Amino acid sequence: MTTQVPGQWWREGAFYQVYVPSFQDGDGDGFGDLRGVEHRLDYIAALGVTAIWLSPIYASPLLDFGYDVSGYTEVGAVFGDLATFERIVRGAHDRGLRVVLDYVPQHTSSEHPWFRDALSSRDSAHRDWYLWHDPKPDGSPPNNWASAFGGSSWTFHEPTGQYYYHAHLPEQPSLNWRNPDVKNAMFDVMRFWLDRGVDGFRVDAVWRLIKDARLRDNPMDDGSESFEIGGAAAHTTVRQIQKYTADQPELPGLLTEMHTVTEDYADRMLMGELHLKLERVAALGSRGLDIAMNFSLIDTPWNGVDLAKLIQRYYAALPAGSHPNWVLSNHDRSRLASRIGTERVPGALTLLLTLKGTPTLYYGDELGLPDSPVDSAHARDCAELRAPGLGLGRDPQRMPMPWQEKPAHAGFSPDDVETWLPIPSWAGEFSVESQEFDPGSVLSLGKELLTLRKELAVLREGSITVLSAHPDHLIYRRGDGEDAVLVAVNLSDRDQRIALPDARNTLWSSHATVNERDQPTDAVTLAPFEARLLTGSLGNGFASAVQPAVHRRPE
């Protein structure tokens, strides 16, 4: 058994997000589950990541596929059972992996016993566990607050004559975190899973936990940066800034309280989902969260100038003690390959795994997996079902993981069952089987970069300095002096010539053959979309002269 060294492991490791419904079907019903995850633990460990982040596996009616919880201390039958989950935790720890569980504190399912009791009367024991309010004199909702899935975030309950608030679906009523009983109950949920060996939590929708007590109307969008995740229905149909339904003054104190729960256990952590301005995300990383998730790479234009500005802006905003984080894809956003192009994936993964901070890798991105379009007849995501035709559905980025080349379901499920989301005919081309023994594959590239992160302390701990930026390239240095590593990424489809004042050794390249990687040189020509790591005397004397080649490299 691997010995787990106490310490802040999340500062040096890499997270691997497993969207459980789409990772591996372990019981043959076409839907991913815990038995499937257990079966793939060796694969995850072999990637070189440090922690598995599991999407919700609680009891749920699955309207939002686990993010609508009807039982926080129960494993949903479709996912498996508690015994299987506990085996996963033990098996992960045996392989040197940590397990991070998605924690959903902003809302419950409308089928949760707490909410069912709240519906019974205005005087019920759990009434104040949710947000209720009388209608306006004309019977309309208390204010203009909009749901993330479109329409009003207030639903009228005729038997008791009041509206209840839901930031998302009407079937996802929001909890009242100003109520001490809610806090105590939800902190007990954390303890339940911590007692079973969970190493930490990814806290869902954490920026929404507290709402304005005065119920003031949110302002409409004036073109400034919004408080909402890009592409959410509340934006495209309402254009509303979440001024009074997100990041309220009480949030940092609440996060600090939440963190004290983990402090009663050795070496546990909190990672929070935050869709706020970059400076605010950075600040909250030192206010109760061990990792404040940074999604800014997802929306930044993919050119060296904008990427350099983002990198410099983010690190400048981090307060002392705040730890950086980078995310390139997740279950809510279009996949990396579909956003920037498959040819740019190697460079993007190089950025993710060599920037200073903890990277979060979304399942399938290590294969260069693109989105898989889903027609209306097979749509499953509530964002599409509640607002069809607006392009808000998240099914395409949740396609089942392709493990094998040949079977119709690419090894995700038996071929004689219908999978919960369609698996396209081209899935096998991106499969693990097709890539794992190919040294030039995206999968091999990702494994090599994760190995370098483990072997080179400078990639985990070293400083970062942007040295040169151009629309077609980005160059930065990790660390200083003889141990420094230079990262150069060609973002264009043309050769880029980089002049170096002293001899350099190519440590690694996304394109170069093994025989080319250790050749000293005083200049480097990056192939189209190539990423390269170099070592040598990389002090402050580095001078970049980049001249795009006049010719295009032959295919």
Side-chain angles (χ1 to χ4, degrees), residues 123-446:
D123 299 322
S124 68
H126 293 94
R127 184 73 169 190
D128 193 45
W129 285 43
Y130 297 86
L131 299 168
W132 294 87
H133 204 275
D134 292 332
K136 288 181 178 179
D138 63 359
S140 63
N143 58 28
N144 74 342
W145 293 353
S147 162
F149 290 124
S152 174
S153 60
W154 296 96
T155 289
F156 188 66
H157 182 240
E158 189 170 352
T160 57
Q162 285 188 315
Y163 283 90
Y164 69 87
Y165 174 80
H166 47 89
H168 300 93
L169 297 175
E171 294 87 356
Q172 293 171 305
S174 295
L175 286 165
N176 176 16
W177 274 85
R178 288 192 172 87
N179 184 332
D181 291 334
V182 169
K183 286 199 294 186
N184 291 336
M186 291 304 293
F187 291 166
D188 281 344
V189 169
M190 294 173 65
R191 294 184 184 99
F192 176 89
W193 295 103
L194 290 167
D195 287 341
R196 280 149 185 81
V198 166
D199 296 289
F201 299 97
R202 177 265 190 185
V203 189
D204 180 66
V206 69
W207 82 106
R208 291 179 176 272
L209 285 185
I210 299 288
K211 290 80 179 172
D212 180 48
R214 293 163 58 187
L215 301 186
R216 286 171 284 187
D217 280 354
N218 276 327
M220 302 308 290
D221 180 29
D222 59 2
S224 63
E225 187 171 356
S226 172
F227 278 11
E228 184 53 87
I229 183 169
H235 266 202
T236 57
T237 61
V238 181
R239 306 298 303 176
Q240 187 177 103
I241 297 175
Q242 308 296 300
K243 182 175 182 179
Y244 295 113
T245 48
D247 193 25
Q248 297 305 289
E250 300 93 335
L251 180 61
L254 178 56
L255 294 178
T256 299
E257 287 186 73
M258 190 177 290
H259 196 273
T260 60
V261 178
T262 67
E263 292 166 9
D264 290 335
Y265 298 78
D267 210 17
R268 313 298 173 93
M269 58 80 66
L270 287 182
M271 177 168 67
E273 180 192 20
L274 296 165
H275 294 285
L276 303 170
K277 292 182 179 179
L278 187 61
E279 286 74 17
R280 186 58 175 159
V281 171
L284 287 172
S286 61
R287 305 293 299 274
L289 294 172
D290 297 297
I291 293 178
M293 300 186 75
N294 168 22
F295 301 97
S296 55
L297 273 179
I298 294 178
D299 290 314
T300 298
W302 207 253
N303 66 77
V305 173
D306 285 304
L307 289 169
K309 288 178 180 177
L310 167 66
I311 291 167
Q312 292 170 319
R313 177 186 168 195
Y314 178 52
Y315 290 123
L318 288 169
S322 185
H323 183 66
N325 166 259
W326 296 97
V327 179
L328 269 176
S329 299
N330 65 17
H331 61 289
D332 285 327
R333 303 300 300 275
S334 179
R335 282 189 177 273
L336 171 67
S338 293
R339 295 198 319 272
I340 67 173
T342 55
E343 70 280 358
R344 292 181 171 87
V345 168
L349 290 179
T350 302
L351 287 179
L352 177 69
L353 298 175
T354 63
L355 287 169
K356 181 178 177 62
T358 300
T360 303
L361 187 66
Y362 185 46
Y363 87 96
D365 275 356
E366 77 274 19
L367 305 176
L369 196 66
D371 291 343
S372 176
V374 176
D375 60 37
S376 58
H378 294 93
R380 302 295 301 273
D381 179 36
C382 55
E384 174 65 24
L385 297 175
R386 300 299 170 104
L390 294 181
L392 304 173
R394 299 165 295 180
D395 291 329
Q397 58 264 35
R398 299 174 178 182
M399 72 166 279
M401 180 82 161
W403 295 98
Q404 299 171 5
E405 291 185 75
K406 294 297 185 182
H409 293 335
F412 170 77
S413 281
D415 285 351
D416 59 350
V417 301
E418 183 179 357
T419 55
W420 83 285
L421 283 174
I423 298 177
S425 59
W426 47 258
E429 301 172 18
F430 292 88
S431 67
V432 173
E433 183 180 42
S434 69
Q435 297 193 40
E436 60 183 339
F437 299 116
D438 176 4
S441 69
V442 176
L443 178 58
S444 295
L445 174 150

Side-chain angles (χ1 to χ4, degrees), residues 53-60 64-70 72 101-109 112 114 168 172-175 177 186 189-190 193 201-206 209 258 273 331:
W53 154 25
L54 297 176
S55 63
I57 46 85
Y58 313 105
S60 168
D64 198 8
F65 292 97
Y67 288 95
D68 48 329
V69 181
S70 58
Y72 282 105
L101 186 59
D102 223 314
Y103 174 58
V104 189
Q106 199 279 146
H107 51 264
T108 70
S109 164
H112 196 289
W114 297 342
H168 300 93
Q172 293 171 305
S174 295
L175 286 165
W177 274 85
M186 291 304 293
V189 169
M190 294 173 65
W193 295 103
F201 299 97
R202 177 265 190 185
V203 189
D204 180 66
V206 69
L209 285 185
M258 190 177 290
E273 180 192 20
H331 61 289

Side-chain angles (χ1 to χ4, degrees), residues 99-122:
V99 177
V100 173
L101 186 59
D102 223 314
Y103 174 58
V104 189
Q106 199 279 146
H107 51 264
T108 70
S109 164
S110 57
E111 295 186 16
H112 196 289
W114 297 342
F115 190 69
R116 287 182 174 179
D117 180 64
L119 292 174
S120 63
S121 77
R122 291 195 182 197

Side-chain angles (χ1 to χ4, degrees), residues 477 481-482 486 497-506 519-524 534-545:
R477 185 182 66 233
E482 294 296 326
L486 191 75
R497 181 73 172 175
I498 303 173
L500 305 174
D502 301 310
R504 300 290 184 268
N505 290 323
T506 294
Q519 300 302 314
T521 179
D522 60 359
V524 172
L534 302 106
T535 60
S537 178
L538 302 175
N540 293 326
F542 172 81
S544 173

Side-chain angles (χ1 to χ4, degrees), residues 12-28:
E12 297 189 357
F15 285 72
Y16 184 73
Q17 181 188 356
V18 171
Y19 189 70
V20 177
S22 296
F23 195 61
Q24 177 70 76
D25 173 14
D27 60 10

